[in-house]
Amino acid sequence: MTLTRPTATLPEQVTLRRRRLGLTAHDPARSAGGFTLYAGQCAEGQVDLIDIEGRLAHRWQMPVRAGRDAVLLPNGNLGYNGSHATSAALYPAWDLWHGGDFYEATPAGEIVWRHEDIHHHHDAQWLPNGNLLYTVAAPLPAEKAARVTGGDPRKDGADGVIQSDIVREVNRKGETVWEWRIWEHLDPADFPVHAIFDRRHWPMINGLSETKDGLILMSLRTTSGVIAVEKATGKVAWHVGPDVVAQQHTPVEMEDGSVLVFDNGNLRTGSTSPFSRALEFTPDGRVTWSYADPMPASFFSPYMGSCQRLWNGNTLICESAYGRLFEVTRAGELVWEYVIPDFAEYPAPLNSFIIGSHNSCFRAHRYQKEQVSWL
């Protein structure tokens, strides 16, 4: 008689899938409540709105994979930053952080507006007047490129071109109504690239927002810093640098004029172990609030990430790389946590550049019930 050995079943090989997914913590008495929106980086255009219990409340299926973010607009429609199929492909990592295929979609999924820009990368903000504010890449003029310092010159592109940043605002007709070139206002020699980054993109604006006084906040990824630009004059009003922040994302003004960021912390000054934090600081660089995990290394996203101050004073944090969305009080107590349960690989050829299955999203956003009255 021949004995047949049972087929061995391997344990789940995706580490995060072996842990708890979906809703993992909820304190109804102290959470702000509401609905949370996110667009998975590998979800092939799926955008989910979940309730405070982690249940799916609504889903959009968009025509293209998320390039970056998705938000709810005041009219109830979805603003979506999709990954453009024929983006500019300026250097090897470009496809990881470009968007450039923008859509507005009704809750029923009808596309009512579209705008394309193949040089877009990272952030985009849907402004109250209906315009779209976003970053694009453009070659740094040669005389400015010669002044870029720091970084790893061994990782420079063969063509020697260094990309830089333009902030552009377009109206509903797609017409450019405002534009700001960073190299006309900052000297690269004063903003050195961190040692681990290549010099193909200086300083890589990865986050934007507009303040109530008409300043445009800009997050500088590869040099670590946040600047505020006077929209009317183009002048830099203030700069907070790497002595305060580290490879941060998502600068947003608070009611008192301070700025909240997701401080990634890949290369934090004075620390040998990377950890992320939510950080609030004044324009003169004084830290007024921060949140890090009680065991700091337990909270870390080396890329992407967001923070949102909620209506009850709590803060919603998106630990992007690991699909972990959580809410903390001003005292740093966790009152809600949700881990995105959907995993997939990046599409080819990106899956050879950033390997494995991911549940990441660029940002997450919380909305009150009145903001989703169409549900």
Side-chain angles (χ1 to χ4, degrees):
M1 180 175 67
T2 302
L3 295 178
T4 303
R5 181 174 295 177
T7 302
T9 301
L10 282 173
E12 173 58 61
Q13 296 302 293
V14 178
T15 300
L16 287 177
R17 275 183 172 164
R18 296 195 302 271
R19 302 175 183 174
R20 292 180 62 195
L21 302 175
L23 186 71
T24 62
H26 183 207
D27 181 344
R30 293 191 292 171
S31 168
F35 295 79
T36 304
L37 183 80
Y38 64 88
Q41 285 287 284
C42 300
E44 294 302 321
Q46 180 177 299
V47 182
D48 285 347
L49 182 70
I50 59 171
D51 68 15
I52 204 64
E53 297 293 340
R55 298 170 299 213
L56 182 67
H58 192 75
R59 174 172 288 168
W60 287 262
Q61 182 58 57
M62 300 302 291
V64 296
R65 181 178 72 86
R68 299 283 86 182
D69 203 11
V71 299
L72 289 182
L73 303 176
N75 63 4
N77 288 348
L78 182 77
Y80 184 71
N81 184 350
S83 180
H84 202 288
T86 57
S87 187
L90 300 176
Y91 46 81
W94 174 257
D95 280 345
L96 290 177
W97 45 65
H98 78 72
D101 200 356
F102 300 99
Y103 295 87
E104 181 180 338
T106 67
E110 178 189 0
I111 304 300
V112 295
W113 187 73
R114 184 185 185 191
H115 175 70
E116 300 176 75
D117 193 326
I118 65 170
H119 292 96
H120 165 266
H121 70 90
H122 284 93
D123 203 7
Q125 293 292 314
W126 302 72
L127 301 179
N129 64 1
N131 290 356
L132 187 64
L133 182 75
Y134 59 90
T135 48
V136 298
L140 192 61
E143 68 277 10
K144 296 288 187 178
R147 297 183 61 78
V148 174
T149 64
D152 186 347
R154 296 171 300 177
K155 297 179 181 179
D156 289 355
D159 58 6
V161 174
I162 297 178
Q163 298 294 328
S164 191
D165 300 300
I166 297 174
V167 178
R168 178 174 294 161
E169 180 180 345
V170 299
N171 62 21
R172 297 289 289 187
K173 296 179 180 179
E175 301 165 334
T176 298
V177 296
W178 185 76
E179 199 166 79
W180 187 85
R181 296 170 173 81
I182 195 166
W183 61 82
E184 295 177 351
H185 304 274
L186 301 185
D187 184 348
D190 295 334
F191 294 79
V193 177
H194 285 298
I196 63 169
F197 291 103
D198 65 36
R199 301 192 300 198
R200 293 175 182 169
H201 200 149
W202 173 92
M204 190 180 285
I205 297 175
N206 64 8
L208 294 167
S209 68
E210 188 174 36
T211 74
K212 60 181 177 294
D213 293 329
L215 296 175
I216 304 299
L217 302 182
M218 305 180 187
S219 167
L220 316 181
R221 167 70 167 178
T222 65
T223 64
S224 289
V226 176
I227 59 174
V229 173
E230 295 176 354
K231 196 172 182 183
T233 66
K235 295 180 179 179
V236 176
W238 54 260
H239 166 234
V240 170
D243 56 328
V244 178
V245 293
Q247 301 82 51
Q248 70 302 309
H249 286 74
T250 325
V252 180
E253 184 187 45
M254 300 292 97
E255 288 186 4
D256 63 358
S258 62
V259 175
L260 180 68
V261 299
F262 184 97
D263 194 42
N264 295 75
N266 304 40
L267 293 169
R268 191 182 308 287
T269 301
S271 174
T272 59
S273 300
F275 65 94
S276 295
R277 59 184 178 171
L279 184 69
E280 190 174 343
F281 59 86
T282 60
D284 61 1
R286 180 172 53 88
V287 173
T288 57
W289 180 80
S290 68
Y291 168 84
D293 194 273
M295 202 287 272
S298 295
F299 165 36
F300 177 56
S301 183
Y303 46 83
M304 303 187 291
S306 68
C307 300
Q308 177 191 352
R309 182 61 41 79
L310 302 178
W311 45 91
N312 71 342
N314 289 355
T315 302
L316 176 70
I317 302 172
C318 175
E319 187 182 5
S320 293
Y322 305 107
R324 178 175 172 245
L325 321 178
F326 62 102
E327 179 186 346
V328 298
T329 67
R330 194 75 180 175
E333 300 162 320
L334 187 145
V335 296
W336 183 86
E337 182 183 62
Y338 179 87
V339 181
I340 297 173
D342 304 310
F343 290 79
E345 290 189 357
Y346 276 85
L350 287 181
N351 59 359
S352 62
F353 189 80
I354 179 169
I355 63 174
S357 292
H358 298 260
N359 66 338
S360 60
C361 64
F362 185 60
R363 290 179 181 166
H365 303 271
R366 181 72 64 80
Y367 298 94
Q368 294 178 274
K369 185 176 181 180
E370 304 80 65
Q371 295 174 282
V372 290
S373 57
W374 43 265
L375 275 177

